[in-house]
Amino acid sequence: MSARSSSLVSVGSRRALLLGGVTADGSASMKRYARELSSAMSAVAQAGWALGLVQPVQRRWLSALWKSKHAERLDSAVARYVTYPLTLRSRDADVFHVLDHGYGHLVRALDPARTIVTCHDLIPLLSAHRRVPMSVPASVVTTFRFRIREMARASKILADSVATRDSLLEYTDIPASRIVVIPLGVSQCFAPCEPWQAHAIRRRLNVSTDTKVVLQVATRGRYKNTPCLLRALAKLRHQLGPAVILARVGVPLYEDEVALAHRLAVMDGIRSIGFVPDDRTLADWYRAATVLAFPSLWEGFGWPPLEAMASGTPVVASAIPSVCATVGQAADLVDPEDDDALAGALERIITDADHAMQLRSKGLEQAKEFTWDQTARLTLAVYDEVSGTTTSADALLDKRLGCLTGPTPPDVGAHGPPTC
């Protein structure tokens, strides 16, 4: 494995190394975070910071000789836990920033006093404590605990949301004074378009004008709660007919989800888009959609609702803490385990043009609160603090975060659709 490093800024004497994942890792969201943050910080780098991004290239050893999933997993483990840490022992910087808590073990190879780690969520740990109703293999929980334990040695932990900070406080021994909440940004490619442009996009994507598109942006995580969405789709199509489809961007349905779709007789109403090549294509799907459905059981931050709102698309999302803080009053929020509520909220947006327009307007304004420029500046303030050039980044962070933490999510029960 070679440590591929690209210098982003070459000004001043203080150096920060941004440590991304190995290139073979499949997490699109982590690669996006590394790309967007490093680019934004290079544009606003202040007070002489020279920034470098490290993304090691994984060598194929066993898998080159023995073509199997098991060999690929072994190569990945060697790259992640052995080779990558070893390459860092010869690197020097004023600040090291591990961009993904999944690489929290890298702190062992660094000076913890000069190291920052971004923690995006604690979903495997929350699942083990039955806080998230999903199953995670015991082996995954074990390795996750190890990585989080090593992450805890870092000087500062950056959390994407107040929800992630609260999880860290509850399930780790990291003191609040070492956790800094810095919300993520939304790429500028997610932007609204004129109606005639939306029609052209639909033609290019082979979506007819009268089709009502419920969009889902799917990952491998079971917490995305696809079964609830499938049940809601069945109710929608029963009420509104076959013109309503589910367009699914990302991973294919699991086998049990395919079986459920067949039992619900909605398989013919699902269009599997697969992985899209870039954010511009994803933005086109947001613009072509009638509504985004985001019924996640848990999120550390939750990009899709913000991306949809920035693209001018109404959103129905889960009334969970991180999503409430992200969407504010600009989306319809439902209990993620109530498929009737999800179906009702989606139906209202599809059939009530005035309501959809109100959500569109609110969403565009809400999305403006989340920029990568802001994320970069807040992150650089933490770099300053860790390197000892300022006494504290708290004043800048508190000023910006006051309008982003969001209200406490409501109790979801039998009192109608919740709002944040």
Side-chain angles (χ1 to χ4, degrees):
M1 181 173 74
S2 60
R4 185 181 71 186
S5 176
S6 55
S7 179
L8 301 172
V9 182
S10 56
V11 295
S13 58
R14 293 181 302 162
R15 295 190 301 152
L17 276 184
L18 282 66
L19 307 178
V22 297
T23 55
D25 273 2
S27 175
S29 60
M30 293 302 96
K31 290 177 180 177
R32 175 189 288 175
Y33 177 65
R35 180 179 68 250
E36 295 282 5
L37 180 64
S38 59
S39 177
M41 288 204 299
S42 70
V44 303
Q46 49 196 291
W49 278 106
L51 308 173
L53 174 62
V54 177
Q55 293 177 300
V57 177
Q58 179 179 316
R59 296 278 182 85
R60 296 177 66 243
W61 300 104
L62 283 174
S63 58
L65 302 172
W66 176 29
K67 297 190 181 302
S68 74
K69 291 293 183 182
H70 186 62
E72 290 175 3
R73 286 193 293 269
L74 286 173
D75 276 346
S76 176
V78 169
R80 179 187 286 259
Y81 294 108
V82 181
T83 316
Y84 194 177
L86 286 175
T87 64
L88 294 178
R89 293 189 180 276
S90 61
R91 307 298 291 266
D92 190 29
D94 296 282
V95 169
F96 298 96
H97 184 178
V98 180
L99 301 176
D100 175 5
H101 59 271
Y103 286 83
H105 61 282
L106 294 179
V107 178
R108 291 171 65 92
L110 305 168
D111 177 3
R114 292 182 287 152
T115 302
I116 298 165
V117 181
T118 297
C119 183
H120 301 278
D121 63 66
L122 294 179
I123 288 176
L125 199 55
L126 295 174
S127 173
H129 285 273
R130 303 186 185 279
R131 284 288 302 277
V132 179
M134 57 177 283
S135 177
V136 175
S139 59
V140 173
V141 175
T142 298
T143 58
F144 189 81
R145 288 184 190 276
F146 162 70
R147 286 175 276 180
I148 296 303
R149 185 170 62 250
E150 296 304 319
M151 177 192 78
R153 300 170 60 215
S155 176
K156 291 287 184 181
I157 308 298
L158 307 187
D160 293 345
S161 66
V162 172
T164 296
R165 180 202 64 191
D166 291 347
S167 294
L168 285 165
L169 292 175
E170 185 173 357
Y171 294 104
T172 76
D173 295 326
I174 303 170
S177 60
R178 288 170 48 212
I179 304 172
V180 182
V181 179
I182 300 182
L184 307 181
V186 179
S187 172
Q188 293 182 353
C189 73
F190 299 107
C193 64
E194 298 297 328
W196 66 268
Q197 293 173 310
H199 290 314
I201 290 170
R202 279 192 161 217
R203 284 196 299 272
R204 186 165 67 252
L205 298 177
N206 194 28
V207 178
S208 64
T209 304
D210 60 346
T211 299
K212 307 302 180 184
V213 178
V214 177
L215 180 66
Q216 180 190 23
V217 179
T219 69
R220 292 182 178 86
R222 291 283 193 165
Y223 59 91
K224 294 298 181 180
N225 199 20
T226 295
C228 180
L229 181 54
L230 293 176
R231 290 190 291 269
L233 177 65
K235 293 177 171 66
L236 271 177
R237 286 169 64 87
H238 177 75
Q239 290 293 114
L240 304 178
V244 178
I245 69 165
L246 173 65
R248 182 179 163 95
V249 172
V251 300
L253 294 168
Y254 285 101
E255 288 185 6
D256 59 293
E257 293 169 344
V258 171
L260 176 61
H262 281 297
R263 288 200 302 274
L264 295 170
V266 296
M267 199 65 202
D268 62 339
I270 300 173
R271 180 171 171 182
S272 296
I273 311 304
F275 292 101
V276 294
D278 49 45
D279 281 349
R280 295 189 182 280
T281 306
L282 178 57
D284 278 347
W285 275 105
Y286 283 127
R287 297 181 189 114
T290 310
V291 58
L292 173 77
F294 195 71
S296 292
L297 296 167
W298 196 265
E299 291 286 341
F301 181 74
W303 260 319
L306 276 179
E307 292 168 348
M309 292 192 296
S311 304
T313 301
V315 172
V316 175
S318 299
I320 56 176
S322 59
V323 173
C324 282
T326 300
V327 305
Q329 304 291 331
D332 283 346
L333 295 156
V334 298
D335 178 346
E337 297 184 84
D338 186 343
D339 46 86
D340 285 326
L342 178 59
L346 293 170
E347 181 178 355
R348 185 182 179 193
I349 289 173
I350 291 170
T351 59
D352 187 339
D354 289 340
H355 180 61
M357 186 59 66
Q358 288 175 1
L359 288 180
R360 182 179 190 273
S361 178
K362 291 179 180 179
L364 289 170
E365 290 303 311
Q366 179 72 5
K368 291 177 183 178
E369 297 290 334
F370 297 82
T371 68
W372 281 110
D373 178 85
Q374 134 193 308
T375 305
R377 293 182 187 279
L378 294 174
T379 303
L380 286 167
V382 180
Y383 286 12
D384 287 339
E385 184 178 350
V386 169
S387 66
T389 53
T390 61
T391 57
S392 175
D394 288 346
L396 175 61
L397 295 167
D398 289 345
K399 179 180 178 182
R400 182 60 201 138
L401 292 173
C403 65
L404 294 179
T405 54
T408 302
D411 290 331
V412 178
H415 304 292
T419 57
C420 288

